[in-house]
């Protein structure tokens, strides 16, 4: 792939592209305008980890990720934090704006961080241009360590990296999209490159636990527990965003394979927004062809597992 970009010398609202500091300064100024200190509904002035956790919990519960651009500048200008709260949605720029404003209200200093996800690591010799980024997260300056995995020590201080779009990821961790990433901290009118440590990436896995009885003729009746760490297979987001039938169909289409003469029923599940523990879903299954018998040997239909 070859990318060709034409830069208009008369465009005065864009960043200085002489070096990465020009881009970082331009972005930081934008967030100073849009992310002024603002308390979230019900937010106290409590700082530290407890204050950040309260911000994280409120945003995960109340805000959704959505891109709505009706003017050209929305491609690079975040919404005011108060407008994000009013709308209850926003893209990565907007959610970062909201998080930074709420952190400032709690007496903390927070800054925007430019990132690239899904398109490979930004190389050390990458040409200076804002187009190499496709995501924005936030960094909170720390006076001392909180002992959280997404803390990084840089030449300009210690920071906690937070992705406000990752509503299913615990505070202090980043989703798997950031693995191996290199991000640009935009703080104090300069840009500082940060390598994302592997330890900062949230665990992502799915355990499937079957407890069932084999009946005469090979019928298999029992329960399956789907235990998801993070949002590895989309169970959390499906439970939060789909109807009961939609969630049922999601499991059948993506995780379990039950024959047409079998049945599956969702018995219940945990809170998909409680990222402090794995997300557990219990289903009841009945598979008339769940087991086959060949002599003295029994083979189980893998149920799509």
């Amino acid at each position: 792939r070859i990318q060709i970009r034409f830069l208009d010398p008369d465009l005065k609202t864009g960043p200085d592209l002489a070096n990465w500091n020009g881009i970082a300064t331009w972005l930081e100024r934008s967030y100073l305008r849009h992310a002024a200190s603002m308390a979230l509904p019900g937010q106290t002035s409590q700082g530290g980890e407890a204050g950040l956790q309260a911000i994280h919990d409120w945003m995960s519960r109340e805000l959704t990720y959505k891109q709505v651009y009706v003017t050209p500048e929305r491609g690079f200008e975040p919404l005011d934090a108060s407008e994000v709260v009013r709308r209850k949605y926003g893209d990565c720029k907007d959610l970062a704006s909201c998080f930074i404003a709420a952190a400032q209200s709690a007496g903390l200093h927070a800054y925007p961080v430019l990132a690239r996800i899904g398109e490979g690591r930004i190389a050390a010799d990458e040409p200076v241009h804002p187009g190499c980024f496709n995501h924005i997260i936030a960094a909170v300056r720390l006076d001392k360590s909180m002992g959280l995995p997404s803390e990084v020590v840089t030449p300009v201080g210690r920071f906690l990296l937070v992705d406000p779009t990752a509503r299913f990821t615990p505070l202090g961790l980043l989703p798997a999209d950031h693995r191996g990433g290199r991000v640009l901290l935009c703080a104090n009118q300069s840009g500082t490159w940060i390598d994302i440590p592997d330890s900062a990436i949230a665990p992502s896995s799915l355990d499937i636990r079957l407890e069932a009885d084999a009946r005469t003729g090979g019928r298999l009746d029992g329960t399956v527990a789907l235990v998801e760490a993070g949002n590895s297979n989309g169970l959390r987001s499906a439970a939060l965003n789909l109807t009961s039938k939609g969630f049922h169909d999601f499991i059948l289409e993506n995780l379990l394979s039950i024959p047409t003469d079998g049945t599956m029923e969702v018995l219940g599940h945990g809170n998909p927004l409680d990222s402090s523990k794995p997300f557990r879903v219990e289903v009841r299954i009945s598979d008339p062809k769940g087991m086959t018998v060949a002599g003295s040997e029994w083979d189980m239909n893998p149920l799509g597992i």
Side-chain angles (χ1 to χ4, degrees), residues 110-134:
Y111 305 90
V113 178
L114 285 162
R116 180 163 74 193
I117 56 176
E119 298 181 8
R121 178 182 172 87
I122 299 174
D125 59 351
E126 186 91 20
V128 177
H129 196 279
C132 70
F133 304 102
N134 64 7

Side-chain angles (χ1 to χ4, degrees), residues 8-258:
D8 186 348
D10 292 330
L11 181 65
K12 304 304 181 184
T13 57
D16 177 1
L17 299 180
N19 52 53
W20 294 110
N21 288 339
I23 293 176
T25 299
W26 170 71
L27 188 73
E28 184 183 12
R29 287 174 179 167
S30 175
Y31 275 81
L32 286 174
R33 294 194 303 273
H34 295 286
S37 176
M38 179 207 67
L40 298 175
Q43 180 184 351
T44 67
S45 59
Q46 183 180 21
E49 185 176 349
L52 289 173
Q53 187 67 58
I55 295 169
H56 175 275
D57 291 348
W58 188 92
M59 291 185 62
S60 297
R61 185 175 63 251
E62 301 292 339
L63 304 183
T64 57
Y65 178 91
K66 190 184 298 183
Q67 282 187 329
V68 179
Y69 297 168
V70 294
T71 56
E73 69 275 5
R74 281 290 290 124
F76 55 88
E77 283 277 345
L79 287 171
D80 288 347
S82 58
E83 182 64 11
V84 179
V85 171
R86 187 189 72 80
R87 295 187 184 193
K88 293 292 185 76
Y89 68 80
D91 69 355
C92 62
K93 301 186 305 294
D94 308 327
L95 298 183
S97 173
C98 184
F99 180 87
I100 290 170
Q104 310 280 35
S105 177
L108 301 164
H109 297 288
Y111 305 90
V113 178
L114 285 162
R116 180 163 74 193
I117 56 176
E119 298 181 8
R121 178 182 172 87
I122 299 174
D125 59 351
E126 186 91 20
V128 177
H129 196 279
C132 70
F133 304 102
N134 64 7
H135 192 45
I136 291 182
I137 61 175
V140 181
R141 184 185 293 279
L142 301 179
D143 295 329
K144 60 181 180 180
S145 174
M146 292 181 177
L148 298 174
S150 63
E151 291 180 22
V152 291
V153 178
T154 77
V156 294
R158 179 185 294 272
F159 294 86
L160 176 69
L161 299 177
V162 180
D163 188 337
T165 69
R167 64 192 313 197
F168 304 116
T169 301
L171 179 72
L173 290 167
L174 297 172
D177 289 342
H178 291 282
R179 188 182 304 278
R182 185 166 173 262
V183 298
L184 185 67
L185 169 68
C186 306
N188 302 324
Q189 300 184 18
S190 66
T192 302
W193 285 103
I194 298 171
D195 292 319
I196 302 292
D198 288 343
S199 58
I201 305 302
S204 182
S205 65
L206 180 68
D207 290 337
I208 301 178
R209 304 171 186 177
L210 169 68
E211 291 186 15
D213 292 323
R215 310 292 185 183
T216 302
R219 187 178 197 88
L220 198 66
D221 294 321
T223 60
V224 177
L226 307 169
V227 184
E228 181 184 57
N231 192 39
S232 59
N233 289 72
L235 268 177
R236 287 181 188 265
S237 52
L240 185 67
N241 297 312
L242 300 179
T243 63
S244 297
K245 183 181 184 306
F247 186 53
H248 171 278
D249 294 346
F250 175 87
I251 294 174
L252 280 181
E253 292 168 6
N254 295 280
L255 296 172
L256 297 179
S257 179
I258 306 296

Side-chain angles (χ1 to χ4, degrees), residues 273-284:
L273 289 174
D274 183 1
S275 58
S276 65
K277 57 186 177 184
F279 179 60
R280 184 183 179 97
V281 182
E282 296 269 359
V283 301
R284 179 185 292 125

